[in-house]
């Protein structure tokens, strides 16, 4: 029987952020699957095949922690560099450091494209910046016909400053993509897609200061809450999006030969 218990949404507090930071920094139970060119990708050694828990780290030379933090927040800039993205927009704000947003992305054909509705929360903590999210249900944004609604159980970024002009980015993601994905997709995620995604963020950071100078340089609502014009959402209107309440599709028989890999993914 499905568990139909409705879970209220909890906005993360400092202990949640500290616990997330510990997970990023901890080596226990993580196995390195990829390590080259300044990028490392780990997965859990007890990994079950449905929920992928991946952790990545990249050292970003010539990028300040502040710039990286801005790039991860700036949805108008994301449209410039995130070539897998189909659409993203902010739905509304919950508090000065939490909001709800929508994101959809392309999967390699013949898989169906995925989308998320997530609650995101962020916090500068000493020399670190943290952003974490998980999936929520919003009454006005139910699953859509042509997308598989994926579930972020916990996804986030930890940015650590390494001196004046260098920083380290950790990205930890625990996502249930819904559906039994073929093993090649799971393997490809850690060996190919994840390292490329990290390098793409790094490249985007190098170009951001110049881009931002020409695009509302003083507008950074994630830093200056008084600039935030989003409608307010009551947290009581949201519930946690449970994976087991969504349709489960089986794409496990899709062969890699049939898959068309997007050419824009193959930028060096």
């Amino acid at each position: 029987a499905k568990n139909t218990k409705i879970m209220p949404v909890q906005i993360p507090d400092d202990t949640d952020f500290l616990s997330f930071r510990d997970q990023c920094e901890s080596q226990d139970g993580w196995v390195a699957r990829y390590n080259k060119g300044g990028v490392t990708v780990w997965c859990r050694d007890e990994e079950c095949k449905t929920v992928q828990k991946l952790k990545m780290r990249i050292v970003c030379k010539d990028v300040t922690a502040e710039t990286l933090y801005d790039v991860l927040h700036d949805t108008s800039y994301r449209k410039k560099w995130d070539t897998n993205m189909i659409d993203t927009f902010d739905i509304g704000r919950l508090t000065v450091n939490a909001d709800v947003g929508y994101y959809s992305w392309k999967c390699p054909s013949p898989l169906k494209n995925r989308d998320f509705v997530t609650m995101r929360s962020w916090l500068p903590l000493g020399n670190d910046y943290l952003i974490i999210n998980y999936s929520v249900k919003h009454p006005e944004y139910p699953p859509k016909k042509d997308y598989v609604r994926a579930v972020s159980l916990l996804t986030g970024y930890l940015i650590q400053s390494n001196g004046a002009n260098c920083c380290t980015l950790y990205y930890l993601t625990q996502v249930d993509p819904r559906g039994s994905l073929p093993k090649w997709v799971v393997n490809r995620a850690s060996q190919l897609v994840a390292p490329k995604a990290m390098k793409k963020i790094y490249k985007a950071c190098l170009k951001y200061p110049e881009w931002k100078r020409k695009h509302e340089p003083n507008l950074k609502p994630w830093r200056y809450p008084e600039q935030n014009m989003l409608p307010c959402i009551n947290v009581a209107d949201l519930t946690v999006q449970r994976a087991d309440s969504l349709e489960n599709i089986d794409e496990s028989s899709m062969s890699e030969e049939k898959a068309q890999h997007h050419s824009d993914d193959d930028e060096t």
Side-chain angles (χ1 to χ4, degrees):
K2 284 187 177 179
N3 185 344
T4 51
K5 183 166 170 262
I6 290 173
M7 293 167 67
V9 167
Q10 302 282 338
I11 294 171
D13 60 19
D14 287 10
T15 51
D16 296 310
F17 281 105
L18 289 165
S19 147
F20 179 78
R21 183 166 72 179
D22 288 345
Q23 277 197 69
C24 288
E25 294 177 332
S26 160
Q27 299 292 322
D28 287 351
W30 292 94
V31 178
R33 292 284 306 271
Y34 178 100
N35 188 4
K36 57 178 184 231
V39 180
T40 313
V41 181
W42 297 268
C43 61
R44 295 298 291 176
D45 51 7
E46 80 283 356
E47 191 59 271
C48 67
K49 291 295 166 275
T50 50
V51 179
Q52 267 294 90
K53 195 170 189 179
L54 287 177
K55 180 164 70 172
M56 295 155 238
R57 181 183 66 200
I58 184 169
V59 176
C60 300
K61 297 189 179 93
D62 302 317
V63 172
T64 65
E66 292 75 18
T67 295
L68 186 36
Y69 185 60
D70 289 347
V71 166
L72 294 173
H73 271 293
D74 197 329
T75 45
S76 51
Y77 186 56
R78 184 172 275 270
K79 293 175 171 126
K80 296 277 299 170
W81 65 267
D82 186 348
T83 48
N84 282 325
M85 184 184 82
I86 297 168
D87 192 18
T88 188
F89 54 86
D90 301 325
I91 293 170
R93 60 180 157 154
L94 295 161
T95 65
V96 290
N97 69 325
D99 66 13
V100 175
Y102 175 86
Y103 179 84
S104 56
W105 77 98
K106 291 181 273 205
C107 287
S109 164
L111 304 178
K112 279 184 153 182
N113 293 331
R114 262 61 179 173
D115 68 358
F116 281 132
V117 173
T118 60
M119 187 207 64
R120 303 171 299 203
S121 188
W122 55 93
L123 188 72
L125 203 62
N127 289 330
D128 300 344
Y129 292 95
L130 294 102
I131 304 173
I132 56 183
N133 77 52
Y134 63 82
S135 285
V136 294
K137 272 186 182 173
H138 186 293
E140 289 167 40
Y141 296 91
K144 290 160 48 155
K145 187 168 70 80
D146 295 326
Y147 290 86
V148 177
R149 179 63 48 94
V151 177
S152 163
L153 301 170
L154 174 68
T155 298
Y157 300 94
L158 165 65
I159 305 162
Q160 297 190 313
S161 181
N162 310 337
N165 208 24
C166 181
C167 62
T168 300
L169 170 65
Y170 286 90
Y171 172 58
L172 187 143
T173 176
Q174 188 173 6
V175 167
D176 188 334
R178 297 317 294 145
S180 313
L181 289 173
K183 197 164 179 353
W184 63 265
V185 170
V186 175
N187 287 337
R188 201 167 162 262
S190 60
Q191 299 296 317
L192 200 68
V193 179
K196 274 190 176 167
M198 295 301 270
K199 287 173 189 155
K200 207 178 269 188
I201 291 173
Y202 178 29
K203 267 176 145 167
C205 289
L206 292 169
K207 295 176 181 168
Y208 182 70
E210 182 61 28
W211 181 89
K212 188 62 177 161
R213 266 198 289 279
K214 299 172 187 157
H215 297 84
E216 301 182 287
N218 300 316
L219 183 68
K220 295 182 179 180
W222 52 93
R223 287 180 184 273
Y224 312 115
E226 67 278 5
Q227 295 179 344
N228 195 327
M229 296 296 134
L230 288 174
C232 287
I233 300 178
N234 185 341
V235 71
D237 295 339
L238 304 170
T239 53
V240 174
Q241 175 67 71
R242 300 176 60 92
D244 58 12
S245 70
L246 289 164
E247 178 196 5
N248 200 5
I249 61 160
D250 186 357
E251 295 174 313
S252 57
S253 59
M254 304 279 189
S255 72
E256 189 163 12
E257 293 72 61
K258 283 208 195 89
Q260 296 159 18
H261 302 320
H262 298 299
S263 56
D264 59 10
D265 273 352
D266 298 323
E267 303 164 17
T268 44

